[in-house]
Amino acid sequence: METNWSPEQSSGLYGINTWGQGYFKVNEKGNVSIFPSPNGTAQVDLLELTQDLLDRGIRVPIMIRFTDILKSRIELINDCFQKAINDHNYKGIYQGVYPIKVNQQHLLVEELVRYGEKYRLGLECGSKPELLVVLALMNTKEALIICNGFKDVEYIETAMLSQKLGRNTIIVVDRYEELGMIIQISKKINAKPKIGFRAKLNTQGAGKWVDSSGARSKFGLTSMEIVEGVEILKKEGMIDCLELLHYHVGSQIPVIQNVKSSLKEGARFFTELYEMGATGLKYIDVGGGLGVDYDGTGQSDSSINYSEQEYANDIISGLQALCDEKKIPHPNVVTESGRFLVAHHSILVFNVTGVNNLYRYALPRVITKEDPQILQELQYIFEKINIDNLNECYNDLIQLKQESLQLFIYGVLSLKHRADAESMYWAIATKMINFASQNMAEFEDIYNHLQQEICATYFCNFSVFQSVPDSWAVGQIFPVMPIHRLEEKPTQIATLADLTCDSDGKIEKFIDIENGGYKKTIQVHDFKEGQQYYIGVFLTGAYQEILGDLHNLFGDTDAVHVSLTESGGYIIDQYVPGDTVTEVLSYVQFHRGQLIEKVRQATEESISKGIISKQDAKLLLKHYEEGLSGYTYLEEAE
Ligand SMILES: *Cc1c(COP(=O)(O)O)cnc(C)c1O
């Protein structure tokens, strides 16, 4: 073990003190610690927690959710808006809603409602099924239920009737046709709806989700439709039903300038509507988009260049300036921040199951005069290589590699000799990397090329498609790091491959603290057979779980909800077992009973032909049934 290394150096290498936001740090034992409230002292050692969960029979990969982090996020955004409101002597109040599409887990939504009660935190739904969830769970007085998304008669009627349960439901007109439906239904059931208009802004968001806004976005009313909508509402005597103006310019807005410019345009819609006679307007809903700093750089699409306080300040001060100028009452401010509230609270922990490592420190054997010429040449390079002839040797090496493959194809080189050549190539490359690293200014290209080829693959017990789909789908960066051994220098450079047989099933974007961008490999510790090595993917609470899919039939992972106790410990509030193989198979219409019966019939046939003994048949069926009841991921042998 290297001695000149410290947990602090690991913190620097993985950038945990920037993206960790005070929730995650490296402790003096060299493990990752969770600080559920970033200003507090209470902490949970993530390695010890993981081992504790394994002792209870909970399995890796595990999704660990920290309830206290949720609470902290709700407090944080509310405190920021309250401070901005106080500082600017703003007259409206702040009232967030959580869009449940970001993560609809039952317990999570319940916890958000419970912790959010004192802040009147409401819920937003974007579809009929989500509306049904929201209606059942939302009972905070004065909290809003915001209805977005595609709507049919049933959606609108249900939303409108919920007002008669005392729910504060606002139906947002996302497409122009919905306005006519709302008016008709209100007459039919004799209800006075609360209506919102979603404006299609010309100002666009930025980053990966920029298409949510702009003239061609899927949702929202054009200025023409808004003007006509106001006329219709007036004609129907319903203009006082228009209570809210909404816009949403896309998720994860990386730069504050886009927050400011969309607010400017959105606030103008608000004051114009008010002046056109929509004096019942009392909310402006600025949508989601408040970003999360996934990589700590402050300058990429996976990062943000502003704080939550600046976000709140810019919205409140922008509204105040415009409303005061137009002498219009300050509206209450609604945000639909989802990612911001839930991203930090979940961590995925998985184990490494094996390593494919190509570093070689010696030649496979001594090459003699009897061996093919090409092997003699490779041996010569291996022996003469040094820092002064590195360029020349590197060019020769690349040349010889090509030649050896050609000679094999033409039948000149045997498979055994090809294997020798291959392993000599890795030995030379290993030596070259070592020399190149001594003078990176000159040999960076050589270093990068060989390192890329030779770096280890760590095989990891999880599925990217199920647990971090945005890493694959949109190339988003997530913080990834070992959760222990951080007092030890990570000597290996690796890529992380998942369990799927898909060549896209890997994480290949890692935070690059030194250069600000991202890199394709991560530094990890050497993998020791017989010792567990755990890696964590952080900030996975938003979108990942629900977007995750069953590629290769890897199902939901085990999940636990953990909260801190007064005495400084923690309790497991809930264990949500991951999918069994039987459950996953039933999604594609394979049913347990039928499968077992088919295999049983096959064993009967073989027993009668004498190919299998009754004992072996019994054992096979036992394994088959156990397999169906088991976890979809790799399990430790009992
Ligand atoms: C998805 C969505 C949100 C949530 O956005 P975040 O960036 O996660 O805060 C809010 N509002 C609408 C209309 C959405 O579609």
Side-chain angles (χ1 to χ4, degrees):
M1 184 167 101
E2 298 259 350
T3 47
N4 57 346
W5 189 260
S6 66
E8 290 72 39
Q9 281 169 290
S10 288
S11 300
L13 175 66
Y14 297 110
I16 190 170
N17 292 340
T18 50
W19 55 260
Q21 300 278 305
Y23 295 109
F24 313 111
K25 289 178 194 155
V26 176
N27 65 29
E28 66 286 353
K29 287 185 209 158
N31 301 334
V32 170
S33 265
I34 317 294
F35 290 76
S37 93
N39 303 318
T41 53
Q43 57 173 303
V44 178
D45 184 304
L46 187 54
L47 177 70
E48 287 167 17
L49 172 63
T50 302
Q51 281 162 343
D52 189 15
L53 294 170
L54 293 167
D55 287 345
R56 291 158 200 244
I58 298 168
R59 303 157 295 186
V60 275
I62 313 180
M63 185 67 86
I64 307 177
R65 308 194 184 108
F66 288 92
T67 315
D68 298 87
I69 294 184
L70 274 185
K71 198 168 155 192
S72 155
R73 301 300 284 174
I74 297 173
E75 285 164 6
L76 180 58
I77 190 170
N78 278 281
D79 289 349
C80 288
F81 270 97
Q82 198 51 53
K83 182 169 188 309
I85 284 171
N86 296 346
D87 288 353
H88 292 88
N89 196 19
Y90 190 81
K91 300 297 189 302
I93 59 169
Y94 168 70
Q95 239 184 317
V97 294
Y98 169 69
I100 69 165
K101 75 155 193 272
V102 182
N103 192 332
Q104 299 102 335
Q105 298 292 327
H106 185 174
L107 193 65
L108 170 99
V109 181
E110 265 183 7
E111 281 165 348
L112 281 160
V113 170
R114 185 164 74 242
Y115 296 138
E117 188 178 348
K118 75 178 211 211
Y119 302 108
R120 302 169 297 261
L121 176 65
L123 296 174
E124 184 260 9
C125 52
S127 67
K128 205 157 46 174
E130 287 189 351
L131 172 66
L132 303 182
V133 167
V134 164
L135 287 184
L137 289 190
M138 186 74 263
N139 57 7
T140 305
K141 254 197 175 149
E142 296 170 69
L144 294 171
I145 293 177
I146 303 267
C147 300
N148 289 328
F150 283 100
K151 302 174 193 71
D152 58 10
V153 171
E154 211 175 283
Y155 182 136
I156 295 172
E157 209 166 297
T158 311
M160 226 180 272
L161 285 169
S162 75
Q163 281 183 252
K164 300 193 179 189
L165 297 177
R167 301 284 188 265
N168 201 359
T169 312
I170 298 185
I171 306 171
V172 175
V173 180
D174 269 336
R175 292 174 311 127
Y176 188 66
E177 302 82 77
E178 292 168 3
L179 184 61
M181 289 159 72
I182 293 171
I183 293 170
Q184 262 185 1
I185 293 167
S186 81
K187 286 179 182 160
K188 183 180 129 199
I189 65 172
N190 193 24
K192 187 172 175 239
K194 293 171 191 264
I195 299 176
F197 277 179
R198 174 164 175 174
K200 208 177 248 190
L201 298 193
N202 189 48
T203 317
Q204 296 210 329
K208 294 190 189 302
W209 286 272
V210 60
D211 289 342
S212 313
S213 60
R216 296 205 42 80
S217 60
K218 223 159 95 179
F219 293 116
L221 308 179
T222 62
S223 37
M224 222 164 55
E225 289 168 337
I226 285 184
V227 171
E228 278 168 27
V230 168
E231 292 309 317
I232 290 174
L233 285 176
K234 278 185 181 167
K235 207 174 82 208
E236 297 286 345
M238 289 174 70
I239 190 67
D240 57 330
C241 295
L242 185 57
E243 295 196 5
L244 175 142
L245 176 83
H246 169 48
Y247 65 85
H248 171 70
V249 295
S251 201
Q252 184 66 15
I253 301 174
V255 288
I256 191 74
Q257 194 50 43
N258 291 96
V259 173
K260 288 189 200 182
S261 47
S262 52
L263 187 269
K264 273 204 178 109
E265 189 183 352
R268 284 286 297 136
F269 271 97
F270 186 91
T271 58
E272 285 290 310
L273 276 170
Y274 197 92
E275 288 177 338
M276 283 164 69
T279 51
L281 270 180
K282 50 183 172 210
Y283 301 102
I284 183 161
D285 172 357
V286 301
L290 173 53
V292 162
D293 192 357
Y294 289 96
D295 65 14
T297 62
Q299 57 186 31
S300 79
D301 281 358
S302 300
S303 187
I304 45 176
N305 76 346
Y306 55 93
S307 68
E308 47 280 340
Q309 189 63 60
E310 286 170 69
Y311 177 82
N313 290 349
D314 284 340
I315 288 172
I316 295 296
S317 66
L319 281 170
Q320 181 206 35
L322 188 66
C323 291
D324 286 355
E325 183 194 323
K326 301 283 176 190
K327 303 204 165 41
I328 283 172
H330 298 169
N332 296 334
V333 177
V334 179
T335 64
E336 300 180 346
S337 296
R339 186 187 295 278
F340 178 86
L341 290 182
V342 300
H344 294 78
H345 95 290
S346 296
I347 302 167
L348 178 77
V349 175
F350 54 77
N351 56 326
V352 173
T353 62
V355 171
N356 180 1
N357 194 336
L358 293 168
Y359 293 101
R360 295 288 178 275
Y361 297 94
L363 295 183
R365 62 184 176 84
V366 179
I367 304 299
T368 67
K369 289 256 160 13
E370 271 73 70
D371 283 306
Q373 176 70 22
I374 192 160
L375 297 187
Q376 297 180 35
E377 285 175 38
L378 282 166
Q379 177 163 266
Y380 179 67
I381 295 185
F382 182 82
E383 280 160 4
K384 81 164 182 188
I385 178 178
N386 61 45
I387 197 152
D388 299 318
N389 61 18
L390 195 57
N391 267 323
E392 179 196 334
C393 286
Y394 172 75
N395 291 332
D396 290 349
L397 177 69
I398 300 302
Q399 173 85 25
L400 288 174
K401 182 187 178 185
Q402 285 306 327
E403 266 176 43
S404 71
L405 294 174
Q406 289 301 320
L407 290 173
F408 175 72
I409 290 169
Y410 295 136
V412 180
L413 211 58
S414 71
L415 182 57
K416 270 194 173 150
H417 285 140
R418 175 179 164 166
D420 284 334
E422 210 170 282
S423 117
M424 293 172 85
Y425 176 83
W426 296 124
I428 295 167
T430 304
K431 223 172 167 181
M432 281 187 173
I433 285 174
N434 204 359
F435 282 124
S437 70
Q438 294 166 23
N439 183 358
M440 284 296 268
E442 193 176 342
F443 299 122
E444 196 179 347
D445 286 351
I446 294 182
Y447 180 88
N448 285 344
H449 170 234
L450 292 177
Q451 192 65 270
Q452 197 73 39
E453 265 196 340
I454 210 169
C455 78
T457 302
Y458 274 49
F459 296 104
C460 302
N461 192 15
F462 81 115
S463 157
V464 166
F465 305 94
Q466 176 61 252
S467 298
V468 259
D470 277 343
S471 165
W472 161 71
V474 292
Q476 192 191 311
I477 296 180
F478 288 89
V480 178
M481 66 183 284
I483 66 167
H484 60 136
R485 292 175 66 184
L486 296 162
E487 77 289 7
E488 195 182 319
K489 185 173 183 181
T491 52
Q492 306 291 304
I493 292 181
T495 59
L496 304 184
D498 76 358
L499 288 183
T500 67
C501 67
D502 195 311
S503 50
D504 277 352
K506 59 192 171 197
I507 298 184
E508 57 172 7
K509 270 197 170 180
F510 299 97
I511 296 172
D512 186 354
I513 292 294
E514 277 165 21
N515 303 307
Y518 67 89
K519 49 187 186 180
K520 288 187 147 181
T521 53
I522 180 174
Q523 273 166 269
V524 286
H525 303 91
D526 58 329
F527 178 72
K528 300 187 179 114
E529 281 301 332
Q531 278 184 30
Q532 288 290 1
Y533 189 53
Y534 296 111
I535 293 179
V537 184
F538 294 78
L539 313 192
T540 57
Y543 298 104
Q544 304 315 299
E545 268 181 88
I546 198 66
L547 287 175
D549 66 37
L550 293 174
H551 199 15
N552 268 153
L553 300 179
F554 289 109
D556 278 343
T557 66
D558 278 5
V560 291
H561 291 247
V562 178
S563 64
L564 295 196
T565 59
E566 299 278 315
S567 58
Y570 56 80
I571 48 169
I572 314 297
D573 293 317
Q574 197 184 36
Y575 164 45
V576 188
D579 288 322
T580 62
V581 173
T582 299
E583 280 164 331
V584 165
L585 291 180
S586 73
Y587 301 145
V588 281
Q589 295 85 47
F590 287 105
H591 302 294
R592 183 187 174 93
Q594 291 167 359
L595 290 170
I596 294 174
E597 185 51 22
K598 279 205 169 130
V599 176
R600 198 194 58 76
Q601 281 169 8
T603 59
E604 284 301 331
E605 239 171 78
S606 293
I607 289 172
S608 69
K609 286 185 195 152
I611 312 175
I612 195 171
S613 69
K614 281 183 217 154
Q615 281 91 333
D616 282 354
K618 184 176 154 194
L619 188 63
L620 174 61
L621 279 169
K622 180 168 172 276
H623 285 320
Y624 195 84
E625 291 193 30
E626 280 170 1
L628 286 172
S629 308
Y631 204 19
T632 57
Y633 297 90
L634 298 187
E635 295 183 86
E636 292 292 306
E638 294 274 308

